[in-house]
Amino acid sequence: MRVTDAVAAALGRAPVDPEHLQKLFLWALRCGLVPDLRFEASPMLATRVLGLEFPHPVGLAAGIDKDAVAVRGLLALGCASLEVGTMTLRPQTGNPRPRVFRLDEDHAAINRFGFNSRGLDAGLERLAGRAREDGIVGINLGVNSDSTDRVSDYAQAVATAAPRGDYLVVNVSSPNTRGLRDLQGSDFIDVLLDRVVAARNGAQLRPPLLLKIAPDLARDEVDVLVGSAMRHGIDGMIIGNTTVIRPDGLVSRHARERGGLSGAPLFALSTRVLAWARLAAGGSLPLVGAGGVRDAETAWAKIRAGADLVQLYTGQVFAGVGLFRSIHDGLVERVAGAGLEHVSEAVGMDAEIYAEGGV
């Protein structure tokens, strides 16, 4: 039984709203009810990227701990890094409930949270006391739904968060904040990146700055974003967020709910876009592959498609807390089986195949 289900069952509440179940999981982590699952990673997987030392390339994506309430417990699951957020400058409740749906038969989920956040100041206050040796923590930044100047708000958020994050992420790819994805367009992206990079460069501490994009983009749109990121000095990109596309074959009764789809059905789409970005950047821009990672094989595919680092979230929900060790061990086997000495040698080795939709 997964820890989350066990907590819910103990309270006589299983099955429960997935959002409530997530809160119970974070509570269990904060209370020390989840065992410490950290392990010594193989040197074959040690990854230096963004100026940071990752023990292995697989981290926990933003979304599970929006307000940085269980950082130490989540890092103890064995992930190489944790991304908290998405955080907004001001507190906001997000969209009405229910706003997250499990698609059990499809190993997927749909959410329309809408950047629910206790606010950036509150999250940063919790991060102020964390022990840096616990692990790498990134901060995912969004804007409030009532923002009248999104570019300025992103810049302010970057400047404010710079002292607390090992890296920062400008998230312009959530489908659940009206008009947000418009910032990915060529009319806006140069202005946005110019401002956020200036804000980061003006801070006393200057953490790496990443751009998180959607998996629903055409190849020429990806080329534009990669080119803009490189011109403006963005340190890396995360590809990608949830998708508004509903692939054929979904069978869950929740499959047509409005919001962003994550999990297994997102894998092929997000991996193709990742490969496009790898080819557009020519290997000179660090990339984080997210979307549909659920085991060692899917993590290995992301790396071969062009990911220096890999993130997961929905996969952990379905597979349970031992997933990071399982993926680590599987990647060691695959690196050795390919006749390679280090995982970095596999990054992008099959990008052209994945760019054409191959596997």
Side-chain angles (χ1 to χ4, degrees), residues 185-270:
S186 58
D187 292 340
F188 303 103
I189 194 64
D190 283 320
V191 175
L192 173 66
L193 297 188
D194 182 67
R195 290 286 300 279
V196 296
V197 170
R200 188 277 308 271
N201 291 347
Q204 185 174 3
L205 297 177
R206 300 176 181 180
L209 185 61
L210 285 75
L211 177 68
K212 185 168 185 174
I213 67 172
D216 304 329
L217 299 166
R219 188 164 187 171
D220 60 340
E221 294 174 312
V222 174
D223 290 345
V224 167
L225 287 166
V226 170
S228 183
M230 295 176 69
R231 285 195 307 276
H232 288 281
I234 289 290
D235 299 292
M237 295 176 68
I238 301 178
I239 301 160
N241 212 317
T242 57
T243 179
V244 296
I245 295 171
R246 297 296 181 263
D248 293 337
L250 297 178
V251 298
S252 169
R253 65 189 180 93
H254 295 304
R256 300 304 165 189
E257 288 287 347
R258 179 176 53 83
L261 173 71
S262 63
L266 176 58
F267 175 76
L269 173 65
S270 60

Side-chain angles (χ1 to χ4, degrees), residues 12 34-35 81 101 122 177 179 196 230 270 291 336 349 352:
V34 180
S81 59
F101 307 87
T177 297
V196 296
M230 295 176 69
S270 60
M349 64 188 297
E352 292 185 1

Side-chain angles (χ1 to χ4, degrees), residues 49-96:
V49 64
L50 302 171
L52 301 170
E53 302 286 349
F54 296 80
H56 59 83
V58 187
L60 191 57
I64 191 168
D65 191 359
K66 294 176 177 293
D67 295 299
V69 299
V71 169
R72 176 171 290 184
L74 286 167
L75 287 170
L77 297 180
C79 53
S81 59
L82 166 66
E83 196 168 300
V84 296
T86 299
M87 297 182 185
T88 54
L89 276 176
R90 299 175 300 282
Q92 65 179 19
T93 58
N95 293 321

